[in-house]
Amino acid sequence: FIEDDSYILLEMVAETFGEMLYSLSLHSRVGFRKQAFRAFVAMCECSGSLIRRNCAYNFPGVALVLEDKYAAELSALVETLSRDKDRDVRYILAKGFHETASVLARRGKLEKLFAPLIRLMKDSDPDVRISILENLHLTLAPLAKQAGSSIMLHVAPIFEGMRRKSHTGWRFQELIARQIEQCVHMFPADAIESHFFVILKHFIVVGVSQVKHAAARSTVKCLRCIVNKASREALLEQYYASLCRGAKADVRMQLVFAAEAALDIFSSVVFSLYFAPAVLRLYSDPVSNVRLRLAQLLPRIQVAAMSDDELGDTVKLAVMSLSQDTDPDVKGAMRNYDVSRQELLHGFDHDADRAKLAEEESLYKLGLGKSKRWNKHRESSIRSSMVLSGGPLRAGGSVSEKEKPPAFSKISSLKKKAFKGGS
């Protein structure tokens, strides 16, 4: 039994315990950690829920001071608090879990941290699940570095369970999609193929617009992490290109958002090869909103595909069709097409594009080999398009055979040869 005055004092100490302990550690290196640890354990086991909530709030600060000597014991305390019957204790613990994990992971106490992480991800309370999910990429970053693919394989299926529990909340669905985008590079390809693509396709089909956009972008990020060529191309068809055949316009619209994400994530060469052909089919979509969104993105697509002769005719057809569209908004968007394209040509970052291509060559073993030669051809194509006829290209996004510089005629044959043996 604790008297009221003593309990109030205990509440005050528990509320500021982490701050006081950290301040003390700045001036004293020895003689207090053992007593501080015992006091913290006692407060974590206190019957008063407010005391335990304060302990959960102060856990990152306490871990920062005591992890040198008590990392294993603190990890066990995290496990205990993750099982707490009080919802607010679990909620507060989840809010700061990423900070606690980043400290305790230094000592390699992974097996004791993954169990409470998974438990909080599966928690019955939606606010607890959202709290742990908000900073999941920060939580997993230090853990995944040491854990290896075997442990991460056990974490990936949890996303599907969270997706099932999220059917009533679109914000939770959006959060899942955005966290997959930020975490996907930490997971092995098998886990990505087995779990993430299915979840994201579900969100694209049934989610509200914010969820669809996040899922479309996350899908492209997942595709970037698939190294095997056969698997990557099969997944591209199943989860990207197939969107253009969606029965609903809002599903087909996500193909444009996914292509926009691909322009940000991939080099222009890989975008032209894998992503541009499917999205360009939407120029004849029966719904004007889909055509309008494509018209707004078309200048970026044309610049990315500048050195690809095979896409030139398709781009030209799309530009001509959308310029003559029956919808006034689509027509209005196409009036600025040449100006927008010229601005993009002048502002094109060759160094960034070259860096992406080099990374993709290393990751996918595309067989390009001569990345510098690729970019030399591409830059020649872009610069030539900027000065042909003393100004911007004519509407249609292509140049005539007479106007074509040598780089234009060589690039397609070079691409075919380069990608022929890609792994």
Side-chain angles (χ1 to χ4, degrees):
F1 176 77
I2 302 177
E3 295 182 359
D4 289 346
D5 290 345
S6 299
Y7 189 79
I8 292 173
L9 179 61
L10 184 61
E11 285 182 357
M12 294 171 63
V13 171
E15 186 176 2
T16 59
F17 190 78
E19 186 176 354
M20 289 191 298
L21 193 59
Y22 181 73
S23 299
L24 179 60
S25 71
L26 297 177
H27 303 283
S28 176
R29 296 294 180 185
V30 294
F32 71 93
R33 284 178 172 77
K34 186 176 182 179
Q35 292 79 7
F37 175 70
R38 287 179 177 177
F40 189 64
V41 170
M43 288 188 291
C44 286
E45 295 174 349
C46 179
S47 59
S49 59
L50 182 57
I51 304 297
R52 300 198 306 277
R53 291 173 196 170
N54 288 337
C55 288
Y57 175 78
N58 281 276
F59 215 110
V62 173
L64 190 63
V65 177
L66 302 180
E67 57 94 14
D68 271 352
K69 192 173 181 180
Y70 296 103
E73 292 84 353
L74 288 169
S75 298
L77 275 180
V78 173
E79 168 80 12
T80 300
L81 292 178
S82 71
R83 297 175 180 272
D84 200 283
K85 62 183 179 181
D86 185 77
R87 171 262 185 198
D88 287 345
V89 172
R90 304 193 309 275
Y91 171 77
I92 296 169
L93 180 69
K95 276 286 187 183
F97 194 92
H98 62 291
E99 296 176 344
T100 301
S102 67
V103 174
L104 296 181
R106 300 173 193 166
R107 299 293 164 182
K109 305 301 176 184
L110 301 175
E111 68 284 350
K112 293 185 178 180
L113 291 174
F114 271 105
L117 171 63
I118 292 174
R119 185 172 295 108
L120 292 170
M121 289 175 72
K122 291 181 173 180
D123 200 276
S124 58
D125 187 89
D127 290 335
V128 174
R129 297 198 302 271
I130 288 176
S131 295
I132 196 68
L133 192 60
E134 281 175 337
N135 296 296
L136 186 62
H137 62 294
L138 298 176
T139 302
L140 288 179
L143 300 183
K145 214 175 271 187
Q146 302 177 46
S149 60
S150 59
I151 295 181
M152 298 305 287
L153 281 170
H154 295 292
V155 178
I158 308 300
F159 283 88
E160 175 60 23
M162 297 177 80
R163 195 274 301 169
R164 293 195 190 100
K165 291 180 180 179
S166 71
H167 63 279
T168 56
W170 68 265
R171 287 182 177 83
F172 190 33
Q173 294 175 345
E174 182 186 20
L175 188 56
I176 292 174
R178 294 197 184 283
Q179 282 298 321
I180 289 177
E181 178 189 350
Q182 292 178 289
C183 296
V184 65
H185 63 282
M186 305 177 197
F187 290 86
D190 290 346
I192 298 171
E193 291 185 45
S194 302
H195 302 289
F196 293 164
F197 283 107
V198 176
I199 297 171
L200 296 171
K201 183 64 174 286
H202 174 80
F203 286 161
I204 289 174
V205 173
V206 305
V208 300
S209 59
Q210 293 92 328
V211 176
K212 290 178 186 292
H213 298 347
R217 183 176 182 85
S218 188
T219 297
V220 175
K221 194 67 176 290
C222 288
L223 287 168
R224 192 184 187 283
C225 297
I226 305 300
V227 175
N228 181 270
K229 181 184 177 183
S231 299
R232 186 171 63 251
E233 291 182 349
L235 292 166
L236 268 160
E237 174 57 34
Q238 185 176 358
Y239 294 105
Y240 171 78
S242 64
L243 296 177
C244 71
R245 300 188 292 273
K248 296 181 179 180
D250 59 351
V251 173
R252 299 194 300 276
M253 179 82 78
Q254 301 318 305
L255 183 61
V256 187
F257 284 100
E260 185 174 19
L263 282 164
D264 296 331
I265 294 170
F266 289 89
S267 70
S268 58
V269 172
V270 173
F271 172 81
S272 300
L273 181 71
Y274 287 123
F275 295 93
V279 74
L280 286 171
R281 298 175 199 163
L282 295 178
Y283 75 85
S284 59
D285 194 274
V287 177
S288 61
N289 280 348
V290 177
R291 301 195 304 275
L292 174 60
R293 190 69 190 88
L294 176 62
Q296 293 167 342
L297 187 63
L298 199 55
R300 286 192 68 188
I301 296 174
Q302 197 276 336
V303 170
M306 178 65 70
S307 55
D308 191 332
D309 284 349
E310 295 175 8
L311 282 177
D313 290 341
T314 307
V315 172
K316 180 178 180 179
L317 186 60
V319 171
M320 291 178 63
S321 177
L322 294 173
S323 298
Q324 300 169 8
D325 201 278
T326 56
D327 186 88
D329 292 330
V330 177
K331 262 187 178 179
M334 291 305 295
R335 288 192 192 101
N336 298 321
Y337 174 80
D338 278 328
V339 173
S340 299
R341 180 187 56 186
Q342 201 66 15
E343 289 175 353
L344 289 167
L345 284 169
H346 281 287
F348 189 83
D349 191 338
H350 294 285
D351 291 336
D353 194 57
R354 186 184 298 111
K356 288 179 183 178
L357 181 59
E359 188 176 348
E360 290 156 359
E361 163 65 17
S362 174
L363 183 64
Y364 305 137
K365 309 300 181 190
L366 295 172
L368 295 175
K370 301 177 181 178
S371 296
K372 291 182 180 178
R373 186 182 175 196
W374 263 95
N375 281 280
K376 185 177 179 181
H377 278 302
R378 172 170 177 74
E379 292 167 21
S380 174
S381 299
I382 292 178
R383 289 182 182 124
S384 297
S385 71
M386 293 165 63
V387 299
L388 284 173
S389 303
L393 293 173
R394 60 180 177 277
S398 183
V399 289
S400 69
E401 292 299 323
K402 291 181 179 178
E403 294 171 321
K404 248 183 214 182
F408 264 94
S409 58
K410 291 178 181 178
I411 195 72
S412 289
S413 59
L414 180 60
K415 177 184 282 191
K416 289 176 183 177
K417 183 178 179 181
F419 282 94
K420 190 174 182 182
S423 58

